[in-house]
């Protein structure tokens, strides 16, 4: 049986927190219905599919790159790093190496396995959709933890994306650990701490 692993990321656009990646090898004997691009699902649908993917896929892995790594390497390179870590996590945890890796988008991480980049792959490849759900749910949970630590910022509502509300709270309360300092709105705030 050919082992096909889908990989996708979540959290490239936010101003704060890790960029996350998921890697999933689905089990053809346990098909999971309702898989699609994580952004087209409600948070309840994602949570229930997340559990199903964990239980019914042949193998899965999650990887992340930190805000420091994003600032050091840039968001694209940090995303590739998160994808590589998700794949390594899957291989080590399940002692299973895929024959082919399908990556959402138009770039490939630096890996030794045969791989293909697929634009809008999360809408056409179930394994990529599954990976996008793992990445998105994990990232949202990290943001909710951040919300409990810093309730003034409203992370439970904007999940770190640069919404109007988020930007005004950022100006009001200032930077906390976890912000990506290379991202423009954050950089501008650092340059004008009393904006």
């Amino acid at each position: 049986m050919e082992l096909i692993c889908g990989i996708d990321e979540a959290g490239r656009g936010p101003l704060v927190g890790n960029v996350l990646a998921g890697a999933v090898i689905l089990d053809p004997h346990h098909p999971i219905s309702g898989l699609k691009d994580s952004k087209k699902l409600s948070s309840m649908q994602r949570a229930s599919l997340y559990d199903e993917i964990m239980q019914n896929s042949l193998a899965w892995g999650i990887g992340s790159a930190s805000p420091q790594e994003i600032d050091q390497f840039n968001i694209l390179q940090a995303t590739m790093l998160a994808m590589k870590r998700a794949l390594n996590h899957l291989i080590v945890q399940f002692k299973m190496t895929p024959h082919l890796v399908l990556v959402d988008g138009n770039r490939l991480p630096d890996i030794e396995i045969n791989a293909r980049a697929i634009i809008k792959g999360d809408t056409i490849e179930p394994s990529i959709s599954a990976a996008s759900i793992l990445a998105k749910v994990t990232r949202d949970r990290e943001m909710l933890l951040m919300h409990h630590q810093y309730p003034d910022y409203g992370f439970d509502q904007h999940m770190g994306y640069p919404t109007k509300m988020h930007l005004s709270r950022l100006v009001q309360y200032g930077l906390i650990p976890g912000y990506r300092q290379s991202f423009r709105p954050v950089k501008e705030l650092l340059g004008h701490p009393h904006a």
Side-chain angles (χ1 to χ4, degrees), residues 34-41 45 49 122-123 126 128-130 132-133:
L35 288 176
K36 54 176 137 175
D37 172 10
S38 64
K39 291 185 281 295
K40 297 194 171 80
L41 297 163
Q45 288 172 316
L49 283 165
D122 50 5
T123 59
I128 296 180
S129 304
S132 93
I133 291 164

Side-chain angles (χ1 to χ4, degrees), residues 8 13 20-21 24 26 40 43 50 54 59-60 75 78 81 88 106-107 135 144 146 175 186:
D8 200 4
L20 265 294
V24 178
L26 291 172
K40 297 194 171 80
S43 58
Y50 176 94
M54 292 280 192
W60 57 267
I75 186 63
L81 193 56
N88 287 343
N106 59 0
R107 299 286 179 98
L144 291 175
M146 215 164 169
L175 290 181
V186 182

Side-chain angles (χ1 to χ4, degrees), residues 80-157:
M80 294 298 128
L81 193 56
M83 288 179 168
K84 200 171 174 175
R85 286 172 178 165
L87 180 63
N88 287 343
H89 178 206
L90 174 150
I91 292 168
V92 170
Q93 181 171 243
F94 291 91
K95 303 188 174 26
M96 194 181 283
T97 303
H99 302 107
L100 174 65
V101 172
L102 303 177
V103 180
D104 184 51
N106 59 0
R107 299 286 179 98
L108 289 172
D110 176 24
I111 53 176
E112 303 293 309
I113 299 166
N114 187 19
R116 221 167 62 227
I118 303 175
I119 292 170
K120 298 221 182 300
D122 50 5
T123 59
I124 48 178
E125 285 292 340
S127 63
I128 296 180
S129 304
S132 93
I133 291 164
L134 289 196
K136 174 87 174 119
V137 170
T138 305
R139 172 146 170 111
D140 285 355
R141 287 177 181 173
E142 287 185 3
M143 283 292 103
L144 291 175
L145 286 173
M146 215 164 169
H147 172 67
H148 290 299
Q149 258 182 304
Y150 304 101
D152 292 336
Y153 289 78
F155 292 120
D156 60 330
Q157 291 173 64

